[in-house]
Amino acid sequence: MANVAKKVSWSGRDRDDDDDDDECAGETTPLLNGTGPGAAAGTRQLTPSSFLRIGQLSNVDLNEDVRELETELPRQHPNEIPHNEKLLSLKYESLDYDNSENQLFLEEERRINHAAFRTVEIKRWVICAMIGILTGLVACFIDIVVENLAGLKYRVVKGNIDKFTEKGGLSFSLLLWATLNASVVMVGSMIVAFIEPVAAGSGIPQIKCYLNGVKIPHVVRLKTLVIKVCGVILSVVGGLAVGKEGPMIHSGAVIAAGISQGRSTSLKRDFKIFEYFRRDTEKRDFVSAGAAAGVSAAFGAPVGGVLFSLEEGASFWNQFLTWRIFFASMISTFTLNSVLSVYHGNAWDLSSPGLINFGRFDNEKMGYTIQEIPIFIFMGVVGGILGALFNALNYWLTMFRIRYIHRPCLQVVEAMLVAAVTATVGFVMIYCSRDCQPIQGSTVAYPLQLFCADGEYNSMATAFFNTPEKSVVNLFHDPPGSYNPMTLGMFTLMYFFLACWTYGLTVSAGVFIPSLLIGAAWGRLFGISLSYLTKGSIWADPGKYALMGAAAQLGGIVRMTLSLTVIMMEATGNVTYGFPIMLVLMTAKIVGDYFVEGLYDMHIQLQSVPFLHWEAPVTSHSLTAREVMSTPVTCLRRIERVGTVVDILSDTSSNHNGFPVVESNPDATQVAGLRGLILRSQLIVLLKHKVFVERANLSLVQRRLKLKDFRDAYPRFPPIQSIHVSQDERECMIDLSEFMNPSPYTVPQEASLPRVFKLFRALGLRHLVVVDNRNEVVGMVTRKDLARYRLGKEGLEELSLAQT
């Protein structure tokens, strides 16, 4: 890893410039206990009476040549950023999903009577309803604006093509189409690249990480939502091979995070209405509901939304959470349905359950027989192979982007280039195609006649000269004979590479619809081939095979099974296809996993995020907590000197976030037993409110804090540099007994890695203290200690840790 110096992150900014993080403003996000640069470079030694250092340095040391390379790098952007994928970033923090059950917390919970508890529950349901309504309204806004802007663009280009087909000079039409696309995408890319880089892409990998317990900077900010919505509109209108459905999941998550807190730091508004929910435990549960509401609004699939949050998201789950999330999803779909039905002029019909409606597959031709099941399984194999190829190509393309296209201006230029190339490819293929179909009874929105006879339209134009959502529906439902096999083959080939090139651009865009479109095209081609082979048998309907191909391709790329099966069933409105869709998705996942990871997991890995999967690596039973834990650990005494606490928090070489609290012991050479755990954020609040006691009178507390004081500081706790402590105050003492968690989770040092992993993952922990048989602290297990062990092709491998 000697070539690892720095890497562009999802936030797109260096940590030095990130002064508006979700945790703090003005200081870099602290690293986990014992894994900071100080663990590598040697910590600044304080006096023995200040705090206790336990254990030895673990094997997370960065190589000297890496640090030398970091110091030699200039401040400006280098031409190439070296990158090593076998790396785990130290800059990503965990959420505090586990409540700190200190005296303040327990006193507040005991004061809550039955009526107050019912009020809190009602507020939870109100928040879920608001999440559903607002997510549905945002989806409506995106859909209506895209429909109008894209319609305007296609009408202008169509009128120009129709005019120049007779006169000659179609090159001007090509130039107009490419210029319009590039101009719109330029605006969409600029707002993402220069204002909020974390809004790039679909946002699903980032939300997966957040629900997994990783704090991604800026991911649930209001500014991110605004850029996301505007960016996805411009990306789709700009003709890129993208969809607007994937970003709805990120949008719903941001809405949920904002609503549940009852305030916005961007708008400088605090409504004080939902103060009780200002902690990571509640916030993360609501974000699960927001992600589900986003899926529900995108596909009209409320059950699929719940299963998406369960399959791809939250580590912790319970029955009440399931019911609230389903409620939010159903409200989201109903809101979208109601508004769009009114917009389309059929107010009482409720015929628009999602942003994309696959239409109903319920005629006699669309049934399937037992003999077709092996054919569906074969299509799943094809989808898995094509999905693996898509992911592998996108992996190498993303590596290239990380290394060379890391400046915002270059990212905008690349997005414009892709937009212009997409328009050019589409125009050339329409121009060269001679696949003419009769226009009678056609549902084509913008039929291009081009060189076809009167009363006919160019079939290739129905795929390229349209929004991807409408192209998918056309491939599903157009009658047999609507497409020439050559048209479908060429379209599949070109759109496959365009979609692969497009995913990863610095624009807000999803990969769901392009994947469905690619699969629907080759699936329909497969159905046409079967029809030829079987002499036009009634069961070989191309629309049915277009649906199976779409499922196979999407499953081969994203590797979702349970939620995607239900989403496809709900979107088609036909339970009959549940079994074949499930078979296709399972086969695509099994085949695809044999070659490479799913697209979202691959991008999480490329960003070096410490993501914890459901289970520990299967070959990790030989490792124990002693071997994986971080050391040394910075411990605090139960009654500690204020100056010591300030020095520890200010020490940039050991930016720990959790501190085991041990019994005060006058003998500094003797290690005392564990008494509790206190967080950096809690210590910051104590120092800010000066909860000190004088040495002469240890029983005198100057101010009684409440949990409200901690919630008011959440989530952006002030930096230690902003807190002034006088020389006299440094000599005061601070009693941590009331504020520390007296019952932190601990494991013995002989515990196996799978056991430690299961405890850490299931409870959503941030710190897990390792103790010996005398209850003395010997180490600390954090997210990075567990995530750095993974199963590679040659067995269990250990990733390197670095400040990337």
Side-chain angles (χ1 to χ4, degrees), residues 142 185 187-193 196-203 223-237 240-248 250-251 415 502-511:
I142 292 174
V185 170
V187 179
S189 182
M190 285 178 66
I191 61 175
V192 172
E196 196 52 90
V198 79
S202 64
K223 185 168 71 170
T224 304
L225 174 65
V226 174
I227 300 301
K228 194 85 180 181
V229 170
C230 297
V232 74
I233 289 172
L234 295 168
S235 299
V236 177
V237 172
L240 292 174
V242 298
K244 57 181 183 285
E245 282 68 21
M248 277 309 306
H250 191 178
S251 301
T502 303
Y503 189 79
L505 289 177
T506 311
V507 293
S508 298
V511 76

Side-chain angles (χ1 to χ4, degrees), residues 307-318:
L307 293 176
F308 173 85
S309 279
L310 174 60
E311 182 181 11
E312 297 291 322
S315 310
F316 179 78
W317 203 264
N318 61 37

Side-chain angles (χ1 to χ4, degrees), residues 100-108 110-111 637-639 661 675-678 682-683 686 691-693 698-707 709-710 734-743:
S100 178
E101 293 191 349
N102 54 24
Q103 290 184 27
L104 297 182
F105 178 82
L106 293 176
E107 287 172 8
E108 182 183 83
R110 291 182 188 125
R111 283 197 302 269
R637 295 175 300 181
R638 191 173 58 81
I639 299 177
V661 179
R675 292 293 176 267
L677 182 77
I678 193 161
Q682 293 172 314
L683 292 171
L686 295 182
V691 187
F692 310 149
V693 294
L698 293 179
S699 63
L700 176 64
V701 179
Q702 291 187 355
R703 175 155 186 245
R704 169 79 174 171
L705 281 189
K706 297 181 180 179
L707 271 184
D709 296 303
F710 293 90
I734 184 168
D735 190 351
L736 305 178
S737 306
E738 193 178 5
F739 311 103
M740 69 181 186
N741 182 2
S743 55

Side-chain angles (χ1 to χ4, degrees), residues 615-627:
E615 298 287 343
V618 291
T619 59
S620 60
H621 279 84
S622 59
L623 293 173
T624 62
R626 186 195 298 111
E627 296 170 277

